Amino acid sequence: SPRFHDTDMIAASVGPMLAGRGGDAATSALVGREPEMRVLREATASTVEGSGRVVDLGGEPGIGKSRLVQELLASAALPAHVAGCDQYERETAYWPMRALLRSVLGVAADAQGSDVLGALETAVAERDEALLPWVPLIATVLDVECFPTPEVAALAPEFRQARLEDTVVRFLT
């Protein structure tokens, strides 16, 4: 095995990476993924027709999941909101939905309390005023503190999750 001596050490300063390996994935041709792209395009088409679909796109790191999504977004003439599922946040309640809602509201991922709550209240008032009493439930998903309304305070614990999910879905719809 090689031996190293103090005289073999060389100090170096490594700067930022200038380019990723293999060129820019977003501009290179996508090859050999037509079956996967067909599934994604069919899901997109059903969404446009009014019946959404969920596609579970999983696999080992580095096999091109993000590249498939980039290709779909580039080819679809639809507004899109992307929420990632970070493996380090898998135990954080509502993590992907938090990112999705923040994107829909147009607030930064690191926006805090009153900014997020203000955007949420404005959006709910513009889209569906009947959801205003349930804003604290949506705020739960956004991880923002919000005083409970009388409706939320009166909600029995066994019905809270179902009401929360219904409220978020209605808001997004």
Side-chain angles (χ1 to χ4, degrees):
S1 71
R3 295 182 51 184
F4 295 95
H5 302 285
D6 287 339
T7 57
D8 294 332
M9 300 294 172
I10 298 172
S13 175
V14 178
M17 184 170 69
L18 299 177
R21 60 188 162 114
D24 184 5
T27 59
S28 61
L30 185 65
V31 178
R33 301 305 289 269
E34 194 50 44
E36 293 90 345
M37 285 305 299
R38 187 173 26 261
V39 169
L40 293 173
R41 287 187 183 111
E42 287 170 2
T44 302
S46 74
T47 300
V48 170
E49 294 166 2
S51 60
R53 286 184 35 202
V54 173
V55 176
D56 182 3
L57 184 58
E60 295 299 316
I63 64 166
K65 299 177 298 292
S66 297
R67 179 67 175 92
L68 282 168
V69 172
Q70 285 177 336
E71 184 74 14
L72 178 68
L73 293 175
S75 66
L78 299 170
H81 298 278
V82 178
C85 299
D86 187 338
Q87 68 178 351
Y88 300 108
E89 297 294 346
R90 66 189 313 159
E91 300 299 323
T92 303
Y94 307 114
W95 180 259
M97 292 305 297
R98 181 180 309 160
L100 176 63
L101 284 170
R102 285 175 179 254
S103 175
V104 168
L105 294 173
V107 297
D110 61 350
Q112 298 296 313
S114 61
D115 293 336
V116 177
L117 193 55
L120 174 60
E121 290 171 338
T122 299
V124 169
E126 290 173 355
R127 296 174 186 186
D128 190 347
E129 286 187 351
L131 293 178
L132 283 171
W134 306 109
V135 162
L137 296 178
I138 304 171
T140 300
V141 175
L142 289 163
D143 194 30
V144 175
E145 289 189 33
C146 181
F147 290 110
T149 60
E151 293 83 352
V152 171
L155 192 58
E158 62 267 23
F159 299 118
R160 185 177 175 91
Q161 183 173 355
R163 174 57 89 165
L164 181 151
E165 292 168 359
D166 289 344
T167 301
V168 170
V169 168
R170 182 169 167 179
F171 172 72
L172 290 172
T173 302

